[in-house]
Amino acid sequence: TNTTARFPFFSSRSRDSHLGDQESDRVGGDRVNGGGEDEHDESDGEDDDKGCMLAASAAAQIAVRQVTNRSDFLLGLACLAIALWLRVSQDEAGDGGTSVSDNYTWRWVLFVACILLGRFLSRTLVAIAIFVIDRLAAVSEEEVNRGYLQSGIYYLHVLRQEIKVLLLFVGITAAWSLLIRPVTQVDSDVYVNMTRALVCTCVVLFAHLVHQLLIKTLTSRLHSSTFWEQLHSTARQENILKR
């Protein structure tokens, strides 16, 4: 106290130095806090960029998957348009007086279009059948009918691949019989043997479908009464996810 009274400038100097230290600490803390906020903003920006990139990648994958799943439909339409153009061109050349030989190129192109469109049509028919039976089961009031419909959905869902292949080969056999029969470039023996091979393939595929149906039926009877409800919910969720 005596020293402070004698030398008042010491007390004022120490007070000023203490205030200066507090000010520097406050400024340094503000800088540290500001730097932390900047780093947090940068990390948020990087997370947003990564999220946008992931969303764009997922959208691109979905678009590619959709185009790939419908590639047979697009190629079938293209082949159908080419076949019609070849047929019209041949008719116009014949009407113009130009001698036209037996050109059946349009029949072969149309046959390829039938194969591609048949693949798309078989897949679409199975999907429509599953959707219609699912809607009928949802609005059905009787428990017995609902159980039958749910079992039908299960069988269509687990056997959809076999059904699609069978429908495809039935369509190929019909297209071969109707389109290739008038083609003179194909030998009669080749045509008959190919027709028999296609018919035998359809019979084998049908037998395989019946075999798989019997296996699924026997398997379902080994479970409890809640088997159909669990399978119906599982098949419906998987069908929704695939869409």
Side-chain angles (χ1 to χ4, degrees), residues 157-197:
H157 185 73
V158 298
L159 299 174
R160 64 187 183 278
Q161 190 64 32
E162 289 81 2
I163 296 174
K164 288 188 291 187
V165 174
L166 178 60
L167 292 176
L168 176 60
F169 272 89
V170 169
I172 291 174
T173 305
W176 174 267
S177 302
L178 296 174
L179 294 175
I180 310 301
R181 185 181 181 87
V183 178
T184 57
Q185 288 87 352
V186 179
D187 188 58
S188 60
D189 294 335
V190 175
Y191 173 79
V192 172
N193 293 331
M194 188 65 184
T195 304
R196 290 177 179 176

Side-chain angles (χ1 to χ4, degrees), residues 76-151:
L77 288 180
C79 292
L80 181 60
I82 293 172
L84 293 176
W85 176 73
L86 291 174
R87 178 61 177 174
V88 171
S89 300
Q90 183 177 352
D91 293 340
E92 290 179 353
D95 294 338
T98 306
S99 60
V100 180
S101 60
D102 294 335
N103 188 5
Y104 297 102
T105 306
W106 67 274
R107 288 183 177 271
W108 291 104
V109 178
L110 185 60
F111 179 68
V112 175
C114 289
I115 295 175
L116 295 173
L117 293 177
R119 184 173 180 269
F120 173 78
L121 183 61
S122 61
R123 185 173 66 247
T124 305
L125 288 176
V126 173
I128 291 175
I130 293 175
F131 176 77
V132 171
I133 297 176
D134 186 29
R135 292 297 92 194
L136 292 176
V139 300
S140 178
E141 297 180 356
E142 297 182 2
E143 190 67 24
V144 178
N145 294 334
R146 186 180 302 172
Y148 287 135
L149 292 173
Q150 289 178 355
S151 63

Side-chain angles (χ1 to χ4, degrees), residues 11 16 22 35 55 62 77 95 103 123 163 197 202 219 231 239:
S11 60
D16 294 337
Q22 290 181 351
I62 292 173
L77 288 180
D95 294 338
N103 188 5
R123 185 173 66 247
I163 296 174
C202 292
T219 304
L231 286 178
N239 191 21

